[in-house]
Amino acid sequence: MKPVWMLVSVMFVALVAGYFFLAGKNQWLDADGPADEVDVPAKTALPIDEKKLGKAYHEGDCDLVYNEGMEAARSGNSRAQLIVGLCKTRMGEQDEQALEWLEKAAGNGEARAARELGVYYIRLAYENEDLALIKKACDYFDAGRKGGDSRAENYYMAYQCGEQK
């Protein structure tokens, strides 16, 4: 049992260090709109005003995000799915609905959603002392890094995901 706790402790330290290293580097939405790194068109027939929803998300106005982004999210707009999922997690609703939106967004190619899911499963692994969940987290980090999310790449390396397989 002791080696498991040591592994979990090392992984937690790596997660915290990675967070503080990247804390000031927002790669996704800022008040001026999406960062260049993820500047790809959303896959949908229903567009969203990314600048407006991004600003609402950063200001904590999830009611606006839900009112203006939910229809687009339901229609398959990956960016809207991501923003709705992030708002739900921000509002303390880390529940099935939040995970559902993030999983849909990740399935539609949103690298940030894959990273967020990886972080969720790492936390769940620590809470439940379930190392099998680390594999699931690594799969999401891998998808995120392949989608161009450098934070997902950092998590992938910090958790030695290439060695988890």
Side-chain angles (χ1 to χ4, degrees):
M1 190 65 167
K2 190 173 183 176
V4 170
W5 277 106
M6 290 175 61
L7 176 63
V8 169
S9 297
V10 168
M11 294 174 76
F12 179 75
V13 169
L15 175 68
V16 171
Y19 174 78
F20 284 110
F21 177 73
L22 297 169
K25 300 177 182 176
N26 185 358
Q27 299 173 350
W28 180 62
L29 291 177
D30 57 29
D32 296 326
D36 291 338
E37 186 174 325
V38 292
D39 193 17
V40 293
K43 303 168 187 169
T44 186
L46 290 179
I48 59 170
D49 183 344
E50 285 187 47
K51 186 173 184 175
K52 183 177 183 178
L53 292 184
K55 184 176 181 183
Y57 167 72
H58 280 283
E59 292 175 352
D61 188 358
C62 288
D63 288 334
L64 176 67
V65 169
Y66 299 151
N67 290 335
E68 299 204 11
M70 190 62 79
E71 185 178 351
R74 286 186 183 122
S75 76
N77 183 309
S78 62
R79 192 59 54 91
Q81 291 167 342
L82 171 62
I83 298 170
V84 168
L86 290 173
C87 266
K88 288 198 170 286
T89 59
R90 172 178 270 184
M91 302 306 293
E93 299 175 26
Q94 188 80 19
D95 60 3
E96 295 301 317
Q97 227 180 21
L99 294 176
E100 178 183 333
W101 286 116
L102 290 174
E103 286 172 357
K104 286 179 181 182
N108 286 326
E110 288 293 336
R112 166 80 187 264
R115 174 178 31 107
E116 294 292 335
L117 287 165
V119 170
Y120 169 77
Y121 284 109
I122 284 291
R123 288 180 184 149
L124 196 62
Y126 290 136
E127 291 170 7
N128 297 313
E129 298 178 25
D130 185 352
L131 295 179
L133 291 173
I134 293 174
K135 167 74 170 104
K136 190 169 188 172
C138 283
D139 290 343
Y140 280 115
F141 291 143
D142 190 35
R145 76 188 185 101
K146 287 178 180 174
D149 187 307
S150 62
R151 287 184 184 181
E153 175 75 31
N154 291 337
Y155 282 120
Y156 185 85
M157 292 183 329
Y159 289 103
Q160 301 173 348
C161 290
E163 299 171 19
Q164 297 286 331
K165 300 187 185 243

